[in-house]
Every structure is written in structure tokens, then in C-alpha cells.
Amino acid sequence: MQNDCSTSVPSTPVRIRHRKRSNEVPNEASKVNGNHLLLNDQNKYKSMLIRTYSTVWMIGGFAFTIYMGHLYIWAMVVVIQIFMAKELFNLLRKAHEDRQLPWFRLLNWHFFFTAVLFVYGRILSQQLVNTVTSDHVLYKLVSGLIKYQMVICYFLYIAGFMWFILTLKKKMYKYQFGQYAWTHMILIVVFTQSSFTVANIFEGIFWFLLPASLIVINDIAAYIFGFFFGKTPLIKLSPKKTWEGFIGASFATIISAFLLANIMGHFQWLTCPRKDLSTGWLYCDPDPMFKPEYYSLPGWFPWKEVSILPVQWHALNFGLFASVIAPFGGFFASGFKRAFKVKYSWTWWHY
């Protein structure tokens, strides 16, 4: 009996593993070679016209809100927070899982409005009491609510926690706990910075308007300098950002901070703190920071002296911060939008 030496060995299929592609916007690295800078963009004038149109409307609406006063500015901040929270809640939401969890989405908003009551109840408690002082019954009611505000918020949170536990469903635990953690992270992101912003508003609109204006000026100046002079890419995360735009905007922002502080510092509507939630006109004795100091100039100047508000020196620090640190908030928003494939994000307003 002859053995067959050519016995064939059954072949085992070879599994070829393909590397999973990132879900971020592809080919970003290829854009850093300079071909996609604003200086070389063939459609840059059309883009500039669109940006100018939208900017004018946004600044107009913002100026009207500032004119209406502290309460309306706070309302604007809350509205922006609601849109931000809605956008962030939806990022990790899955339609199939949500259909199996009725009322689970409402739990996110329960925690959100509990946070609103906790944060703004603490910040605006004194203003609220001062608003209802003339009405004895309302004053006692509001004072009682403020006295037990922490307890009320605590039990609202506990109610939400129990609600979450009672809605846990088999085979959905991982998704539900992920949403629970995501909700709490959103609340931290949305309310941490905004709480300081609202506190500043009622200490004087100046302390809100000047930093906000400097951020806008820095963003516009960076776009203009990059538009006409940008040649050197700044960061891979935002391919159209350039060093020329960054440096030019820094100088423009610091100079604007010094000048704007002088202009805004002469309006009591902007400098006086608001002690209640009314919308009437404000009168107060200006803080020493808003009282001019006079400096003598050398004889070859056309003026003998110049007046400078002490707050203008502080404004230089605001300008430096808005020039160097604040753009990283924009970079964060750019990375956020690319990671989640979001073209327009309310989170940009926050940063």
C-alpha cells in the first residue's frame, strides 16, 4: 500500500484585521500645508460677507439685551444654557434604547432644572428678597423658600436619584448608567463658568460686557488678520488659524481693552451693581476704580495731562487673557465639533 506524500492540509482562512478608522473629520492633517488658509481660499470673500452679516445681527441682538438690563442678560444666559444642555444631552443618545425607556429622557431635565434652582437660588437670593420687600406676604414666602432652598434642592436631587434607580431595566444598565454620568458632566460644564458670569452681571454689567466684548473683538481681529496676512498655520485642530491672526488679534484686543474700559467706565448703567431684580435705571456713587486719575504729560505733547480710569489698568489683564487663554476655548469647541461631527454647536457660545 503506497502512502501519498502529497496529502493536502486543509487551509485555515486567514482573518485580515482592518484598522478602525477614526470617526473624526478625515484628512485634517492634509489641510495644514497652507492650501486651506484663508489667504489662499478662493471663496474667502463670500465667506466674509456671510460672517459679516451674521455678526451684525448677533451684535445687534446682544446690544439690545444689554440695553434692557441685568435681568434680561441673565435670561439670555439661561436660554443659551438650555440650548447647550439639549445639544449635549442628544450627543450620546440612542433612539432604539430611548424607545425602550419611556420618561427616561425627562430625567435629564429634572436634574438640569434642579441645578438651575441650586445655582441661581444661591446667587440671586438677596436680589430676590430686595425685590419683594414692599409686599409683606410675598416677602415672608420668598424668605422661607430661600431659607430652605438647600434642603429643597437636596430632596429634588434625591427624587431624581430614586427615579433613576426605579427606571433601571435589564440589558440596559450600561446605557442608563452612561447617560446618568453624562448628565452630571454636562451640568458641571454648563453651570460652573456660567454661575460666575451671572454673579458678575449683578455686580455691574461692565464686568460681563467688557470680557465678552474682548472675546468678540479677538475673534473678529484674528479672522481679519488671518484673512489678509495669514501664512503660518497655528494649530492642526483648526487648519485656518494662523500665527499672524493670533498675534495681530492679541495686539488689537489689548489696545481695545484699554480704550473700551475708559468708554464703558463712564456709564453708570454699566458700572452700578444691581441690588434687586427690577429693570429701572441705576444711580450710584461710582466705585474708586471708575473715578478718573490725572497724569501730567511731557511738554512736547499737545495736551498737558490725560485722565485714565484705574480700571483701565485692570482691563489690560483682561485683554491679555482674552488674547492668549480664551482662543483655547475656541480650539476646544473646534475639537468638540469634529469629534462628534457637529457643524454648529451651542457649546461654542460657552467657550
Side-chain angles (χ1 to χ4, degrees):
M1 194 171 178
Q2 190 176 357
N3 292 332
D4 188 2
C5 296
S6 61
T7 304
S8 61
V9 179
S11 60
T12 304
V14 179
R15 297 180 70 184
I16 301 174
R17 296 196 175 194
H18 295 280
R19 190 174 180 179
K20 187 177 180 181
R21 293 186 178 182
S22 170
N23 62 345
E24 297 182 10
V25 177
N27 300 326
E28 286 295 337
S30 64
K31 293 184 179 182
V32 191
N33 58 10
N35 293 330
H36 287 77
L37 299 177
L38 280 174
L39 190 67
N40 305 318
D41 193 344
Q42 296 180 353
N43 297 320
K44 65 178 184 178
Y45 288 104
K46 180 181 178 180
S47 174
M48 186 180 189
L49 184 62
I50 295 172
R51 284 172 176 260
T52 303
Y53 181 78
S54 59
T55 300
V56 169
W57 275 101
M58 289 170 63
I59 291 177
F62 183 71
F64 178 74
T65 306
I66 296 296
Y67 172 78
M68 294 301 293
H70 305 68
L71 190 62
Y72 291 88
I73 300 172
W74 170 59
M76 177 188 70
V77 172
V78 172
V79 169
I80 292 175
Q81 286 181 322
I82 291 172
F83 279 102
M84 280 180 57
K86 181 181 178 182
E87 178 183 273
L88 293 171
F89 285 150
N90 289 331
L91 278 180
L92 297 185
R93 192 160 275 151
K94 298 178 181 178
H96 176 70
E97 283 79 355
D98 279 357
R99 281 195 294 269
Q100 300 181 49
L101 298 169
W103 303 105
F104 186 72
R105 180 176 296 190
L106 191 61
L107 184 61
N108 293 335
W109 293 107
H110 171 83
F111 284 121
F112 177 85
F113 287 107
T114 299
V116 169
L117 182 62
F118 174 76
V119 172
Y120 296 132
R122 291 173 63 85
I123 295 174
L124 304 179
S125 57
Q126 191 57 53
Q127 283 85 355
L128 185 58
V129 169
N130 293 340
T131 304
V132 299
T133 303
S134 57
D135 191 318
H136 181 68
V137 176
L138 198 56
Y139 175 78
K140 290 188 68 175
L141 176 63
V142 170
S143 298
L145 289 174
I146 290 174
K147 182 179 180 180
Y148 297 105
Q149 182 245 355
M150 291 287 290
V151 177
I152 294 170
C153 291
Y154 175 75
F155 279 104
L156 283 173
Y157 180 83
I158 292 300
F161 175 75
M162 294 173 64
W163 182 356
F164 168 73
I165 297 298
L166 292 173
T167 58
L168 287 175
K169 194 172 182 179
K170 193 175 181 180
K171 297 183 179 180
M172 305 286 289
Y173 295 152
K174 186 175 181 180
Y175 174 74
Q176 288 180 279
F177 275 101
Q179 288 292 310
Y180 186 78
W182 180 241
T183 298
H184 284 70
M185 197 209 77
I186 290 170
L187 297 181
I188 293 172
V189 169
V190 170
F191 284 101
T192 301
Q193 295 184 49
S194 300
S195 60
F196 295 111
T197 300
V198 172
N200 283 341
I201 290 170
F202 284 89
E203 287 298 321
I205 296 177
F206 176 93
W207 303 108
F208 165 76
L209 181 58
L210 179 63
S213 300
L214 294 179
I215 297 297
V216 174
I217 289 171
N218 182 262
D219 195 53
I220 294 174
Y223 181 79
I224 292 174
F225 278 97
F227 186 90
F228 290 105
F229 310 109
K231 294 181 179 179
T232 312
L234 174 63
I235 186 171
K236 292 182 179 180
L237 195 61
S238 296
K240 292 186 179 182
K241 298 290 193 306
T242 62
W243 276 105
E244 290 80 6
F246 181 79
I247 295 171
S250 297
F251 281 105
T253 304
I254 293 172
I255 294 171
S256 299
F258 191 78
L259 298 176
L260 275 177
N262 184 280
I263 296 171
M264 295 180 184
H266 286 89
F267 293 93
Q268 289 193 357
W269 178 247
L270 301 178
T271 59
C272 292
R274 172 69 73 181
K275 301 297 183 183
D276 54 26
L277 298 179
S278 64
T279 56
W281 202 253
L282 283 172
Y283 300 96
C284 65
D285 182 30
D287 188 274
M289 294 190 70
F290 298 105
K291 293 180 179 178
E293 296 177 348
Y294 295 91
Y295 297 86
S296 299
L297 297 175
W300 48 271
F301 268 91
W303 307 280
K304 292 184 178 181
E305 60 181 14
V306 62
S307 66
I308 296 177
L309 303 180
V311 75
Q312 289 181 256
W313 304 117
H314 293 272
L316 292 176
N317 294 320
F318 287 160
L320 185 63
F321 186 92
S323 301
V324 178
I325 307 299
F328 283 87
F331 300 151
F332 178 90
S334 295
F336 180 88
K337 290 187 291 184
R338 283 168 172 75
F340 291 97
K341 298 181 180 180
V342 179
K343 186 174 182 180
Y344 178 83
S345 173
W346 280 94
T347 311
W348 179 88
W349 286 81
H350 190 66
Y351 289 99

